Amino acid sequence: MIGACELRRVALLSALALAGAAVADSTPVPRAVEQAARSNITRAVLEAPIRFLSSDLLEGRGPGTRGDELTRLYLQTRLEGLGLKPAFANGAWQQPFDIVGIKSTFPKSWSFQGKSGRADLSWRDDYIAASGLQSPSVAVPDSELVFVGYGIQAPEFKWDDFKGVNLTGKILVIMNNDPDWDPNLFAGKRRLYYGRWDYKYDSAARQGAVGAIIIHTTPSAGYPWQVVQSSWGGEQFELPAGDEKRLRVKAWATEEAVRRLLKTSGFDLDKLVASARSRDFRPVPLAIRTSISFSNGLSKLQTANVGGVLAGSDPKLAAELVVLSAHHDHFGIGEPDASGDRIYHGADDNASGCAMVLAVARALAALPHAPRRTVLALFVAGEERGMLGSKYYAEHPNVPAGRIAADLNIDEGNIFGRTHDANLISLGKSSLDQLAEQVVRSQGRVLTGDQFPDRGEFYRSDQFSFAKVGVPGLYFKDGVDFLGRPAGWGRQQIEQWELKKYHQPSDKLDDSWNFDGMIEDAQRDMLLAWLIAQAQAMPSWKPGDEFEAARTRALAALGTQ
């Protein structure tokens, strides 16, 4: 039990850390560091790992597969060749952990009976589902559907969509996103974790529901229906279940399918959505009933995180880590696209991120003097399946979370060219903003915030796992203001890529890639990693941030060890 005095001491240390970090932008970057970034981060250094990791030979790098093993061995040997040392206990380069594979067989048609008719939803075209239980067979008995609006309980915003209604045994129909029409409510157009699908399913389980159906729209999800099909339509992977509450079935349905379903009892989706845009909303029983049974093929597998460390040079600060993270997995072999390709290559997502971490580690290892803090190059497994590897690492770190200075996470490199802007998804959350501003300005660029704030990007990659245990993070995405291109071109390229290639077999390395922006971004990340490693004070969350309390707990825990 942490006492009040200890908490006050930690709060004071956090405030001092913030004050120290606020002047970190006056720290110059030595010419040798800048030269190491330029000479070690080149197109060849980035392109070669991407070509190998996205090749057919690795079969999409699905968790627990031969391609996964080859990926991990490749990354391990690359780190070893750079002169890094094993990151994990007993001289291990890899941190293995168990996962459960669940290959579900759902009915081709799912029937719903309303007061005045029946609606049948077709698998893949109308609905996609995954098992909520790790058991060979699952049966959802005859259950009523209840519309619960956003499905959110957020005391800090005085918002509760459930109002104490007993929802045990129900199937909840839930809107995606969170309330976005008022900048003073939640975060306006910027999506919070409350708007993410994983929150929705967990929230439904806490209410005692047996199932949940999330209504998909491209604007509310941030991606088209085909991404739901590719991400959820095949084998799913999870960490072994604990004693947490779980749904029996986790489903998505298209907006059009939900409209048909609601009409069977005389409900209009637009009117229900309008009613949910209020703190006074209460769950709406839909007088629609359904049941569903399905079988699961279960497999117990292992995957692993891969990590190497560059030992810090400062006698005291070397005990603290700066983490460079990128996920090494993708979707393996799945449903074919129009060309018949069944391999989900994951070239940009995230062979490019792995290549960038390798390049940054290469540049740091080439410095004449090692950074003051230790740097961990960490390639995490299972991100595409719910950030499994980063979650496991965050719960089983090689140093206490209170000694991890920051996580610089890389997920998808810029393949379209150089930009005037650097898009920092995490802008406004921590004292790392000052360092980001310094480095981006030194490149002649402008630091901007999330250009697609309605998508909740901060909660969609591995820096989120670190944040949940209190570690501040930097997470960039592509800028949108491309050099030599007309206004709007960058946004159009990004949206077209997401429409045609995101989580599709067509995410391949090809001649259309322009590496200039990826090179500049990786050089930026190297300079940032060095500055974080050199700073006397550790970064801190800004006062009032949603993860500030987790950092306070992590720092307080150091006093008990």
Side-chain angles (χ1 to χ4, degrees):
M1 191 75 174
I2 299 170
C5 290
E6 178 64 14
L7 285 173
R8 284 194 294 271
R9 183 186 71 83
V10 171
L12 176 60
L13 289 173
S14 297
L16 290 172
L18 180 60
V23 298
D25 63 352
S26 64
T27 303
V29 176
R31 187 167 299 175
V33 177
E34 293 179 337
Q35 179 58 36
R38 286 193 296 269
S39 61
N40 286 280
I41 300 175
T42 64
R43 172 170 179 162
V45 167
L46 292 169
E47 187 171 5
I50 295 170
R51 179 175 292 108
F52 178 74
L53 290 170
S54 63
S55 69
D56 286 359
L57 290 173
L58 269 65
E59 300 175 336
R61 310 189 305 278
T65 64
R66 175 179 175 274
D68 179 29
E69 292 185 38
L70 289 172
T71 297
R72 290 185 270 125
L73 179 60
Y74 171 78
L75 294 170
Q76 170 184 327
T77 54
R78 288 296 307 271
L79 292 175
E80 189 173 5
L82 293 174
L84 276 68
K85 301 300 180 184
F88 302 110
N90 302 315
W93 289 97
Q94 299 190 25
Q95 182 187 41
F97 59 93
D98 295 331
I99 56 174
V100 177
I102 308 173
K103 190 175 291 186
S104 303
T105 302
F106 280 90
K108 297 296 183 183
S109 181
W110 187 2
S111 296
F112 297 80
Q113 184 63 52
K115 291 188 297 184
S116 57
R118 192 176 95 167
D120 296 322
L121 304 191
S122 298
W123 173 253
R124 289 188 67 83
D125 292 335
D126 295 325
Y127 88 96
I128 291 288
S131 177
L133 301 180
Q134 298 174 5
S135 57
S137 61
V138 178
V140 178
D142 182 55
S143 305
E144 183 183 19
L145 272 62
V146 179
F147 177 72
V148 294
Y150 293 98
I152 291 173
Q153 287 178 306
E156 68 274 31
F157 296 112
K158 299 179 181 178
W159 192 280
D160 180 3
D161 283 321
F162 302 115
K163 301 296 190 298
V165 173
N166 184 1
L167 297 170
T168 302
K170 308 296 185 182
I171 295 176
L172 308 188
V173 180
I174 310 174
M175 297 160 55
N176 212 349
N177 210 339
D178 51 34
D180 62 357
W181 59 88
D182 183 347
N184 298 313
L185 180 63
F186 289 78
K189 295 297 182 183
R190 182 169 68 86
R191 183 182 308 212
L192 301 178
Y193 183 53
Y194 292 118
R196 292 280 297 143
W197 57 260
D198 39 355
Y199 172 84
K200 308 290 187 183
Y201 291 136
D202 289 345
S203 178
R206 287 192 292 270
Q207 305 306 313
V210 293
I213 301 172
I214 294 177
I215 306 167
H216 174 272
T217 69
T218 297
S220 68
Y223 40 77
W225 180 247
Q226 68 190 36
V227 173
V228 179
Q229 292 173 319
S230 60
S231 303
W232 290 81
E235 186 173 15
Q236 302 298 301
F237 297 91
E238 300 178 345
L239 297 175
D243 58 0
E244 69 277 5
K245 290 185 177 181
R246 299 174 72 92
L247 299 173
R248 297 190 186 189
V249 62
K250 301 181 289 186
W252 290 81
T254 67
E255 180 181 15
E256 189 277 332
V258 173
R259 289 186 184 279
R260 284 193 284 115
L261 188 157
L262 292 173
K263 284 182 180 179
T264 65
S265 274
F267 285 98
D268 179 86
L269 178 59
D270 294 332
K271 291 180 179 179
L272 287 172
V273 169
S275 72
R277 292 166 61 93
S278 168
R279 283 192 174 96
D280 297 328
F281 170 82
R282 293 181 61 84
V284 180
L286 297 173
I288 300 171
R289 305 191 71 86
T290 190
S291 62
I292 189 170
S293 298
F294 52 92
S295 60
N296 293 324
L298 302 177
S299 56
K300 294 183 179 181
L301 305 168
Q302 264 203 348
T303 186
N305 300 322
V306 180
V309 293
L310 178 64
S313 59
D314 186 279
K316 181 179 179 181
L317 296 183
E320 299 172 356
L321 289 185
V322 177
V323 179
L324 305 168
S325 62
H327 72 87
H328 65 68
D329 65 302
H330 203 56
F331 284 99
I333 297 174
E335 291 291 324
D337 63 7
S339 72
D341 193 353
R342 298 181 60 232
I343 297 175
Y344 287 68
H345 300 86
D348 194 29
D349 184 13
N350 189 37
S352 67
C354 293
M356 291 172 73
V357 167
L358 286 171
V360 172
R362 172 191 173 105
L364 291 170
L367 292 173
H369 302 288
R372 298 176 71 194
R373 286 186 175 85
T374 295
V375 176
L376 167 64
L378 180 67
F379 303 96
V380 292
E383 188 270 352
E384 304 287 15
R385 310 300 183 157
M387 295 173 272
L388 304 183
S390 58
K391 179 181 179 182
Y392 186 85
Y393 176 83
E395 294 173 352
H396 306 87
N398 53 336
V399 302
R403 291 201 179 100
I404 302 177
D407 170 48
L408 199 167
N409 184 52
I410 306 176
D411 194 349
E412 300 173 12
N414 174 4
I415 62 174
F416 303 115
R418 292 181 62 204
T419 62
H420 286 290
D421 55 335
N423 178 8
L424 181 58
I425 302 299
S426 54
L427 185 65
K429 298 189 72 63
S430 78
S431 61
L432 291 166
D433 290 354
Q434 288 93 337
L435 296 182
E437 173 68 32
Q438 174 189 350
V439 172
V440 168
R441 188 172 62 243
S442 75
Q443 292 183 319
R445 297 202 283 171
V446 176
L447 185 68
T448 60
D450 191 348
Q451 297 300 295
F452 301 89
D454 57 321
R455 299 182 182 181
E457 292 279 6
F458 186 83
Y459 310 97
R460 290 172 58 175
S461 194
D462 293 300
Q463 71 286 335
F464 181 40
S465 296
F466 284 89
K468 287 195 287 188
V469 296
V471 178
L474 284 171
Y475 182 45
F476 289 90
K477 297 293 279 187
D478 295 357
V480 297
D481 185 8
F482 283 79
L483 274 62
R485 301 291 187 176
W489 183 88
R491 186 176 292 269
Q492 181 183 45
Q493 297 303 306
I494 293 167
E495 290 176 341
Q496 282 298 303
W497 186 89
E498 291 175 345
L499 179 64
K500 297 179 179 180
K501 297 188 176 184
Y502 179 56
H503 289 185
Q504 303 299 314
S506 53
D507 179 11
K508 301 178 183 180
L509 174 64
D510 59 39
D511 291 341
S512 71
W513 283 36
N514 182 329
F515 279 85
D516 294 345
M518 192 185 304
I519 293 167
E520 189 169 38
D521 288 349
Q523 292 172 349
R524 171 202 67 203
D525 294 345
M526 182 269 186
L527 299 178
L528 278 167
W530 185 85
L531 283 169
I532 297 167
Q534 294 302 105
Q536 185 63 32
M538 288 219 298
S540 58
W541 298 101
K542 291 190 174 178
D545 188 85
E546 60 193 307
F547 302 110
E548 182 187 27
R551 188 60 155 182
T552 299
R553 291 192 296 270
L555 293 172
L558 295 177
T560 65
Q561 296 176 355

